[in-house]
Amino acid sequence: MTHHIRRGHDLDPELVLRAYAMGVFPMADHRDAPNVYWVEPKLRGVLPLDGFHLSHSLRKTIKSNRFRVTADKDFEGIIRLCAESAEDRPDTWINGPIERVFLELHTRGFAHSIEVWDGDRLAGGLYGLALGHAFFGESMVTRVRDASKVAIAWLVARLRAGGFKLLDCQFQTEHLASLGAVEIARDDYIALLGAALGDTSAGLSLGSPSVDGDFFALESLAPPEAPRGPAPTDTVSGPLSLKVIEQLTVHTS
């Protein structure tokens, strides 16, 4: 289901927050589109936080310590990478107004990113919006094989550590299904959304983010004897990250 089109000017951040709290989100027809439309899918993709599928191959990739994983270190870089055209994705739905409103929501503490680095190169990642105990995944990208899967694994671990209840994927894809995502009817989604938001939607304000879930709780799970690194956002994948992910995911194979 799509709703009225907003043309020719930037999105209002508070309007976007209230739309997500109602189960609606903006999209554009293509990167250079001047307008957006509002979407409310009849079937909603969600990834149950207790049903994430950590496969043997993904465990092996994380354990290899090939990638370095950070949170909110380069939000702008991630959203622009998601918006770029690629050989397997010649166009995207992230236009200028959507990019600008999410950059503003990030500065206000509502939008977050997971970055996956291959050396100094941004190999992939994802970004989304946090409200109450819900996280709305917006887009993910990979430029190196398995980078987006690593990002999702870290997102799930981070959300579980922070007490989140809902990971909204918007639409189901084969890739997401392989990681445990499912489709649910709109009414069921609205019920889950209401439980995850609680009273958050009644008091949305850009001045004070109503994020009851703690997006950065994962850092506190490092054992006291482990090196903590220079900053909370510099979470390096490796033996510690694999242990944390295994503790915070249920379904492994």
Side-chain angles (χ1 to χ4, degrees):
M1 177 184 294
T2 59
H3 295 263
H4 69 277
I5 293 175
R6 186 176 181 85
R7 297 182 181 275
H9 49 80
D10 282 351
L11 292 168
D12 175 74
E14 291 196 17
L15 173 63
V16 172
L17 290 177
R18 295 188 182 281
Y20 277 88
M22 296 170 58
V24 182
F25 56 88
M27 295 186 72
D29 285 325
H30 53 82
R31 173 64 173 160
D32 297 321
N35 51 276
V36 304
Y37 54 92
W38 299 98
V39 182
E40 186 181 21
K42 292 182 179 179
L43 291 176
R44 195 80 168 219
V46 299
L47 203 167
L49 293 173
D50 62 353
F52 177 70
H53 179 210
L54 182 63
S55 67
H56 280 308
S57 61
L58 183 53
R59 290 178 72 252
K60 185 177 180 180
T61 298
I62 295 170
K63 190 175 182 179
S64 72
N65 201 26
R66 175 180 180 181
F67 296 116
R68 180 170 58 95
V69 184
T70 59
D72 280 6
K73 185 174 183 179
D74 191 3
F75 184 90
E76 185 174 354
I78 282 293
I79 193 171
R80 290 185 176 172
L81 195 65
C82 287
E84 284 180 1
S85 61
E87 185 175 345
D88 61 341
R89 188 178 59 175
D91 209 348
T92 72
W93 54 266
I94 305 170
N95 66 353
I98 290 175
E99 182 177 332
R100 287 189 289 272
V101 78
F102 269 90
L103 288 171
E104 175 64 20
L105 289 168
H106 173 64
T107 64
R108 302 283 185 167
F110 289 94
H112 300 284
S113 60
I114 301 290
E115 303 91 12
V116 179
W117 304 87
D118 186 6
D120 294 329
R121 175 191 179 190
L122 191 56
L126 57 85
Y127 77 94
L129 185 72
L131 285 176
H133 291 93
F135 188 88
F136 306 88
E138 281 296 299
S139 185
M140 61 183 175
V141 63
T142 187
R143 291 292 183 264
V144 177
R145 183 177 179 178
D146 292 334
S148 64
K149 291 183 179 180
V150 170
I152 294 174
W154 267 102
L155 176 65
V156 170
R158 189 169 288 278
L159 297 183
R160 292 198 65 182
F164 285 81
K165 300 177 181 177
L166 173 64
L167 173 50
D168 175 16
C169 302
Q170 297 181 345
F171 299 106
Q172 175 73 298
T173 66
E174 184 177 344
H175 175 57
L176 289 171
S178 71
L179 296 168
V182 297
E183 279 187 325
I184 61 175
R186 183 192 304 140
D187 289 347
D188 294 332
Y189 171 77
I190 292 300
L192 289 177
L193 179 63
L197 293 183
D199 295 329
T200 298
S201 58
L204 291 178
S205 169
L206 287 179
S208 54
S210 299
V211 182
D212 299 319
D214 184 356
F215 192 75
F216 294 101
L218 187 60
E219 281 71 29
S220 67
L221 298 181
E225 67 275 11
R228 296 305 299 274
T233 55
D234 286 335
T235 304
V236 181
S237 64
L240 174 60
S241 66
L242 177 62
K243 179 179 178 181
V244 170
I245 289 176
E246 288 179 326
Q247 289 173 341
L248 291 172
T249 54
V250 173
H251 295 291
T252 60
S253 66

